[in-house]
């Protein structure tokens, strides 16, 4: 399910689901994923914020592992408080061993979400957020393309992937090295341009996450990391402290 789509095959003319009007109901739109030839139709129009695009025709479904064909990536911005979202803090909170910080909220007179809403916190929420907007859009003043490396944003990462970034990755070739306690992924999914080394110091966490990724090696694997050069061309590495940094999209 996608929150946006394109009117044209070249993916230049974007349409957001909450902009769709009655006349759009019978129009076929293009999936944001260039590799995917799904034909998308708007469901629940009337400018409804819960409207979304679905591939309703059996012959034009999303391709396997299309990130826009998965309901688990759905992001309903009404459920979150954008004004309290600070990207770097959110990622730093995933890069530690502790449980998510207490539910205490900072009262804000500028809150834009529903009462009780909090900013996107867990990786799956932040990933869904990234997939529900185009990479040139901003959320809480931060460009989506600067949060996530995926096939849409690859052009922004011509020198590599550094700092706090989410990667949309997949398994390609050798997956792990038990001696080094490392797991290997590639991103973006289609171009497989970069290799990412997940580096563990905790044996138990290494084994658990390695197995989970191995068992889902045909799926989209999303990792939050603080990436730096591994010393090898087009290879980047980050410490992985726990499961909060890993989301498997299935
Ligand atoms: Zn698709």
């Amino acid at each position: 399910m996608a929150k946006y789509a394109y009117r044209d095959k070249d993916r230049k003319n974007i349409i957001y689901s909450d902009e769709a009007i009655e006349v759009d109901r019978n129009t076929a739109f293009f999936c944001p994923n260039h590799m995917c030839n799904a034909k998308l139709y708007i469901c629940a129009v009337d400018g409804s914020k819960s409207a979304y695009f679905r591939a309703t025709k059996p012959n034009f479904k999303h391709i396997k592992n299309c990130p826009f064909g998965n309901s688990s990536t759905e992001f309903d911005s009404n459920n979150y408080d954008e004004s309290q979202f600070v990207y770097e803090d959110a990622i730093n909170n995933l890069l530690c061993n502790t449980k998510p910080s207490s539910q205490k909220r900072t009262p804000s007179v500028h809150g834009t979400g529903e009462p009780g809403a909090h900013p996107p916190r867990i990786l799956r929420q932040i990933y869904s957020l990234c997939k529900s907007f185009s990479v040139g859009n901003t959320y809480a003043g931060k460009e989506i393309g600067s949060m996530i490396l995926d096939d849409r944003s690859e052009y922004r990462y011509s020198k590599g992937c550094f700092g706090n970034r989410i990667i949309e990755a997949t398994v390609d070739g050798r997956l792990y090295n038990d001696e080094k306690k490392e797991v290997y992924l590639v991103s973006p999914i289609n171009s497989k341009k970069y290799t990412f080394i997940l580096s563990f110091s905790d044996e138990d966490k290494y084994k658990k996450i390695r197995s989970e990724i191995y068992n889902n090696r045909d799926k989209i694997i999303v990792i939050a990391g603080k990436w730096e050069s591994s010393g090898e061309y087009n290879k980047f590495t980050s410490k992985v402290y726990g499961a909060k940094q890993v989301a498997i999209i299935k």
Side-chain angles (χ1 to χ4, degrees), residues 1 63-74 122-131 148 150 166-170 185 189 212-213 215-224 244-250:
M1 291 188 221
I63 56 171
K64 187 170 174 280
N65 275 341
C66 177
F68 300 95
N70 194 315
S71 61
S72 75
T73 63
E74 210 179 332
I122 65 170
L123 179 57
R124 188 174 287 273
Q125 292 166 349
I126 303 170
Y127 172 70
S128 304
L129 152 70
C130 289
K131 300 309 275 189
I148 187 168
D150 62 13
I166 293 166
I167 60 163
E168 184 185 71
T170 188
L185 296 172
I189 288 176
E212 206 189 346
I213 292 177
N215 292 333
N216 292 285
R217 59 195 181 280
D218 58 339
K219 305 286 191 316
I220 296 173
I221 315 284
V222 177
I223 306 289
K244 286 192 295 179
Q245 283 171 257
V246 182
I248 290 167
I249 308 305
K250 52 184 174 183

Side-chain angles (χ1 to χ4, degrees), residues 31-33 36-38 40 61-63 66-69:
C31 178
N33 177 1
C36 178
N37 60 1
L40 308 186
K61 292 285 183 200
H62 290 279
I63 56 171
C66 177
F68 300 95

